[in-house]
Amino acid sequence: MMNQTDSQTKRLSPWLPLLCFGLLMMALGINDALRGIFAPIFQERYGLTDTMLSMIVTVSYAGNLLFLSIGGKLLDVFPRKKVTAAAICLWGLALIINLVSDSYYAILLTMFLALGASTLLNTTLNILAPAVFFGYGPLMVNILFFLQGIGTSGSQFLLGNYAFSFGGWKLINGIMLAAGVIVLILLSRLYVPQHTPAAQGDAPGAAPLQARPEPARSVFWFFVAMFGFYFIGEHGIMNWLLSYCINAFDMPSARASGILSLFWGGMTLGRLVLAPAVQKLGARRSLYLFGGAGTVLFVLGVVLGSSGLVILGVSGFLISVLYPTMVLLIQQVYPENVAATRTGSIISLATLADIAFNALFGAAIDAFGYRVSFGILPVGMILFYLCYLILMRKTRSMAN
């Protein structure tokens, strides 16, 4: 017989998971934006050299690699609700250290913990959504990523205009910590199944997730390549589009910022507007359609130079759904007992492409200039889509 607590949880289920996961995703979106917003504050307060400042980015990527590689395995071995709660606690520990400390080395430690735990939680919610929101996984994943985008863009605007100070750094860490406590309370009342109840996705009558054989090793490496090339494209825009517009086309900073805002505004809006389409089409067809169209616009936007920058900005609308949908695809290809492990390993290894690109891109600019060097980004998107097409041929009989 269902006890009273279970009964209450079932009655709360229509809104409790969305409130819990949505609040967490908004907080994680804020967390992801802090590194870039407060970098000038850190540099001035602690007298950092450019090399010391770049270490903040480096250790955050190291945190991503470690947390994802270990966390994915933990999600397959231990109860996913407990692993999620533990990751939130580690993230909260980093926020507490930020509140009570005032040193460069403390920030290195907290960036390692906070960005690592944040990336793991982001991926964890993508893995949990198909089970918690059973039957509506693709829709809800993209809504959650929309909320994350609201957190990122909203915090960039508010903090950049009204709290651009060390006091603002302390304040936002306190707000995120409070959000984390609320999420833990909500999570304690939430039912999180360890396994997705049944197959869901593109192909009717697909084999149950747990019953599928694990695909060939080459599939794993094509997933790594697909994610890695995608990261070069999307994250390259995030890190370099503003400088590209200013240096390659002598564009005023206000207009260059508008192009970047157009891209990220499209990324945020697209996850909300296109979420029902992803739910209806499924992961495979959504990546085929939106990945192909988004890649075409992305490539045209760069090839056309200054006259294509608006097209490049608009491409963000179609590209917006690719990352969460790719994570869903991993879960539809691999047996459920190893899906989280493979997800963590794939994304952590793909992050190496991100690190390598950012390390080499500066040297490419010095050697060839912005116009030529920026061509690496559309090449990355083309290779992303080619890897996807190859994966679909290799996994046609496996993925839902």
Side-chain angles (χ1 to χ4, degrees), residues 45-312:
R45 187 174 185 86
Y46 303 120
L48 305 180
T49 65
D50 290 336
T51 300
M52 295 172 72
L53 192 63
S54 69
M55 280 298 296
I56 293 176
V57 179
T58 302
V59 299
S60 68
Y61 277 124
N64 290 352
L65 288 170
L66 180 63
F67 276 70
L68 279 173
S69 59
I70 296 176
K73 181 66 175 177
L74 294 177
L75 285 168
D76 281 333
V77 174
F78 298 102
R80 293 179 173 181
K81 182 174 179 178
K82 292 183 178 180
V83 175
T84 304
I88 294 173
C89 290
L90 278 174
W91 177 57
L93 174 62
L95 301 178
I96 292 171
I97 294 173
N98 284 336
L99 287 172
V100 301
S101 67
D102 184 4
S103 77
Y104 167 67
Y105 295 103
I107 287 173
L108 288 180
L109 172 62
T110 59
M111 285 296 176
F112 177 85
L113 291 174
L115 271 298
S118 173
T119 303
L120 174 59
L121 286 168
N122 183 299
T123 305
T124 298
L125 295 192
N126 206 323
I127 292 171
L128 294 181
V132 174
F133 302 103
F134 179 60
Y136 299 93
L139 174 70
M140 297 309 302
V141 162
N142 281 286
I143 288 177
L144 291 175
F145 273 83
F146 164 74
L147 294 174
Q148 183 187 35
I150 293 295
T152 300
S153 57
S155 63
Q156 287 172 337
F157 175 79
L158 293 174
L159 292 172
N161 287 278
Y162 303 109
F164 190 60
S165 64
F166 193 70
W169 164 252
K170 297 285 188 179
L171 174 63
I172 197 61
N173 275 276
I175 291 173
M176 288 190 297
L177 181 62
V181 172
I182 295 172
V183 168
L184 279 175
I185 294 172
L186 295 174
L187 184 64
S188 68
R189 305 190 65 190
L190 181 64
Y191 172 65
V192 179
Q194 186 68 8
H195 303 291
T196 304
Q200 55 177 328
D202 299 330
L209 300 179
Q210 191 74 21
R212 295 195 190 115
E214 187 160 352
R217 189 65 176 171
S218 62
V219 169
F220 174 86
W221 290 111
F222 271 107
F223 265 119
V224 171
M226 181 179 71
F227 274 86
F229 289 129
Y230 174 78
F231 287 161
I232 288 173
E234 183 198 315
H235 297 173
I237 292 292
M238 177 175 63
N239 294 321
W240 296 100
L241 180 60
L242 195 68
S243 297
Y244 170 65
C245 291
I246 293 171
N247 291 284
F249 307 112
D250 295 322
M251 186 178 292
S253 58
R255 186 184 170 200
S257 179
I259 298 296
L260 181 61
S261 298
L262 177 63
F263 184 88
W264 286 107
M267 288 283 286
T268 301
L269 182 63
R271 285 169 175 166
L272 178 65
V273 174
L274 298 179
V278 175
Q279 172 67 32
K280 182 177 181 179
L281 294 171
R284 291 166 63 94
R285 285 172 287 178
S286 294
L287 289 170
Y288 181 80
L289 176 62
F290 299 126
T295 297
V296 169
L297 291 182
F298 191 101
V299 172
L300 280 176
V302 177
V303 169
L304 293 176
S306 60
S307 60
L309 290 175
V310 173
I311 297 175
L312 179 61

Side-chain angles (χ1 to χ4, degrees), residues 8-68:
Q8 290 173 344
T9 300
K10 293 295 184 183
R11 287 200 302 270
L12 292 170
S13 61
W15 62 268
L16 181 60
L18 181 59
L19 179 60
C20 178
F21 288 1
L23 178 59
L24 181 57
M25 285 294 272
M26 290 188 70
L28 296 179
I30 296 171
N31 184 84
D32 291 345
L34 297 186
R35 178 177 52 196
I37 294 174
F38 289 103
I41 300 296
F42 300 149
Q43 189 165 29
E44 179 181 355
R45 187 174 185 86
Y46 303 120
L48 305 180
T49 65
D50 290 336
T51 300
M52 295 172 72
L53 192 63
S54 69
M55 280 298 296
I56 293 176
V57 179
T58 302
V59 299
S60 68
Y61 277 124
N64 290 352
L65 288 170
L66 180 63
F67 276 70
L68 279 173

